[in-house]
Amino acid sequence: MSDKPTVLFVCVHNAGRSQMAAGWLGHMGGDRIEVRSAGSAPAEQVNPVAVTAMREVGIDITAERPKVLTAGAVEASDVVITMGCGDACPIFPGKRYEDWKLDDPAGQDIEAVRRIRDEIKDRVGKLIADLLPA
């Protein structure tokens, strides 16, 4: 791992979970961690309910766009966190992989998306503590 760890969040559509996780990591980790996100089958746009849920906590992800997952993005990352993309994620030796089991916010109401958002925040906090020892 370089001086500045790189984290890649991956979900199927790169429209909900991975975008919220990237938003949290950018917000909580500042410029100490490089943040990326991608999807194995990217959607047309970020889930508007996820955008609303993040805006409620002061994090603006409106400018984000779903991006396609590439082998290069995985190779250039120190930590790859998958969220239900299954076998679509390429595996490279020496990378740290985690699979976060999270509900998909697609088609869910704001209450459900808030719960997912808050669970992601907790996991991101633990990830930061692990990547950036005090």
Side-chain angles (χ1 to χ4, degrees):
M1 214 173 327
S2 62
D3 294 342
K4 185 175 179 176
T6 302
V7 176
L8 171 64
F9 293 104
V10 181
C11 66
V12 177
H13 300 298
N14 189 218
R17 295 166 287 192
S18 56
Q19 292 286 356
M20 290 193 288
W24 275 122
L25 186 55
H27 179 75
M28 296 164 67
D31 61 1
R32 300 172 300 161
I33 299 174
E34 189 172 330
V35 184
R36 297 182 171 124
S37 71
S40 51
E44 291 293 313
Q45 65 179 24
V46 174
N47 180 333
V49 184
V51 170
T52 299
M54 293 302 285
R55 188 178 299 126
E56 290 176 349
V57 294
I59 300 171
D60 184 4
I61 61 170
T62 53
E64 297 303 322
R65 296 288 169 257
K67 294 167 281 307
V68 70
L69 176 65
T70 64
V74 175
E75 203 167 15
S77 300
D78 298 304
V79 181
V80 180
I81 297 177
T82 58
M83 303 169 175
C85 73
D87 298 333
C89 301
I91 304 293
F92 288 94
K95 301 289 171 200
R96 173 176 160 187
Y97 291 89
E98 290 183 25
D99 186 41
W100 290 2
K101 304 269 187 246
L102 295 161
D103 290 336
D104 188 344
Q108 305 246 28
D109 65 13
I110 189 70
E111 288 299 322
V113 175
R114 284 179 184 133
R115 283 192 297 277
I116 297 165
R117 173 199 69 200
D118 295 345
E119 184 177 350
I120 291 170
K121 178 186 180 186
D122 291 343
R123 289 176 186 235
V124 166
K126 290 176 183 133
L127 178 67
I128 292 169
D130 191 43
L131 291 176
L132 303 173

